[in-house]
Amino acid sequence: MNYIDSYLLFLRTEKKLGDATIESYRLDLEGFVCFIDKEITKVSRDDIVNYISYLRERMGVRSINRHISSLKGFYNYLLDEGYVIISPLEEISVLKVPKSLPKYLSINEVDKLLDFPLVTAFDYRNKAMMEVMYATGLRVSELVKLEYSNVDLHNSIIRVTGKGKKTRIVPIGETASYYLNLYILEYRNKLLGKNNYNELFLNNHGKPISRQGFNFILENIRVSSGIEKEITPHVLRHSFATHLLEGGADLRSIQEMLGHENISTTNIYTEVVDDVLRENYDMYHPRAREE
């Protein structure tokens, strides 16, 4: 265990890693030591392969890859310090992560989700938030940080600060603009009270709503709507992008609206739409299936 202690001290003092990250490394390495039951410096490539097979029976690919990454860093350290001559992970690669397509709602499901009764100021706030989320594809972190001054209802656009503090302009449609304007004119000041916050969406204390608060609201609306599938803020974001692409929007435009740095990230939605087209073809074309 002295090797592990020495490595963790290296991560803390030289790499300046935080306590949570170091604890994660410690658990990964101690689990490995318990499995192999031999001297750390005498571990072979076969031992690593057996360990990965053991992990395959107990966890998903991403978790296994984290363990592999932990071991690679550890043995690279032992190699640099002269404790081993060669790393047993030298020819070991991370596992290929199965590609999973984004989950999204159908247009009918979106309509069902957004059709809830408007009675209180909180209902109108929720309606504005939900309409903006679906109309713009914002991340929930971007939505809760959206400031009043960054909304231009005259031109139906909002200025969003995304990852890396990069800003982008995103258009909003007539429905979202209508409910956003209604919320701002009639209800925001009532929620704000004597507070002085620039954030657009406020909680029942007149303070900026949190990510957790939005998630709680979304879940309540989902349950009330009778939709059984899981709906997260990212599902709304995926729905926004998928429905735009289905309607014929340009992929580059969707990339800009989503704030993706790389077009390959946005390109995943083309596969979603391809699947939808295939399903529609198989369902409705008279000769899609052999008689």
Side-chain angles (χ1 to χ4, degrees):
M1 297 300 291
N2 289 336
Y3 292 114
I4 293 178
D5 292 339
S6 177
Y7 178 56
L8 297 181
L9 181 61
F10 165 77
L11 294 179
R12 185 183 302 280
T13 57
E14 299 295 327
K15 295 296 185 180
K16 308 296 183 184
L17 298 185
D19 291 342
T21 304
I22 291 173
E23 177 65 9
S24 177
Y25 275 107
R26 183 183 68 79
L27 292 173
D28 287 351
L29 296 174
E30 289 181 358
F32 172 68
V33 169
C34 290
F35 172 82
I36 60 167
D37 194 27
K38 67 164 26 174
E39 175 63 41
I40 283 176
T41 57
K42 295 180 181 179
V43 169
S44 67
R45 182 183 183 279
D46 287 342
D47 292 324
I48 300 295
V49 171
N50 289 336
Y51 183 56
I52 292 173
S53 296
Y54 164 80
L55 293 179
R56 276 182 177 273
E57 299 175 358
R58 290 162 173 79
M59 60 185 65
V61 172
R62 288 182 173 83
S63 296
I64 294 172
N65 285 342
R66 192 199 72 235
H67 281 266
I68 293 174
S69 177
S70 296
L71 289 172
K72 278 181 176 287
F74 177 56
Y75 275 97
N76 285 339
Y77 167 78
L78 296 182
L79 187 63
D80 291 341
E81 294 296 316
Y83 296 125
V84 296
I85 299 175
I86 187 171
S87 168
L89 287 100
E90 191 171 86
E91 297 180 357
I92 300 292
S93 301
V94 295
L95 306 182
K96 187 175 182 180
V97 179
K99 186 187 296 183
S100 57
L101 296 179
K103 296 178 181 178
Y104 68 100
L105 302 176
S106 68
I107 294 176
N108 286 337
E109 287 172 329
V110 170
D111 289 340
K112 189 176 181 181
L113 182 71
L114 299 183
D115 184 22
F116 53 88
L118 303 177
V119 180
T120 68
F122 299 115
D123 295 330
Y124 283 95
R125 176 206 60 193
N126 296 347
K127 178 68 171 176
M129 285 196 303
M130 299 289 287
E131 291 287 354
V132 168
M133 279 288 279
Y134 176 60
T136 61
L138 296 187
R139 302 176 179 94
V140 65
S141 58
E142 296 169 343
L143 180 81
V144 299
K145 292 177 183 177
L146 185 63
E147 295 189 357
Y148 174 78
S149 58
N150 288 332
V151 176
D152 181 355
L153 290 175
H154 178 72
N155 293 302
S156 296
I157 57 173
I158 56 175
R159 184 182 297 275
V160 182
T161 301
K163 290 184 176 180
K165 295 186 177 180
K166 293 182 179 179
T167 61
R168 65 186 189 276
I169 302 297
V170 183
I172 52 178
E174 290 183 3
T175 303
S177 292
Y178 171 80
Y179 285 106
L180 188 54
N181 187 52
L182 186 60
Y183 163 69
I184 290 173
L185 292 179
E186 300 291 336
Y187 300 102
R188 183 178 181 275
N189 283 339
K190 293 179 182 179
L191 296 180
L192 185 63
K194 296 181 180 180
N195 295 318
N196 185 26
Y197 292 103
N198 293 324
E199 284 82 2
L200 184 59
F201 296 112
L202 309 169
N203 63 20
N204 58 328
H205 299 294
K207 297 179 180 180
I209 200 162
S210 65
R211 294 175 57 174
Q212 293 81 2
F214 179 83
N215 290 337
F216 179 77
I217 292 166
L218 176 59
E219 176 62 11
N220 283 341
I221 293 174
R222 180 197 69 80
V223 172
S224 298
S225 71
I227 298 175
E228 295 186 359
K229 68 169 61 172
E230 180 186 19
I231 303 177
T232 65
H234 237 63
V235 168
L236 289 178
R237 181 170 162 85
H238 294 326
S239 302
F240 160 81
T242 302
H243 296 164
L244 275 178
L245 200 57
E246 284 179 335
D250 172 70
L251 195 63
R252 287 286 182 186
S253 299
I254 298 174
Q255 177 194 1
E256 290 183 18
M257 286 184 278
L258 290 174
H260 286 163
E261 189 168 332
N262 196 314
I263 190 67
S264 62
T265 308
T266 318
N267 203 51
I268 187 68
Y269 295 108
T270 62
E271 297 187 35
V272 176
V273 174
D274 287 345
D275 280 357
V276 173
L277 291 175
R278 169 57 62 182
E279 289 174 6
N280 285 330
Y281 179 86
D282 289 342
M283 185 176 297
Y284 298 116
H285 195 280
R287 293 183 178 272
R289 291 177 296 275
E290 187 176 351
E291 295 295 334

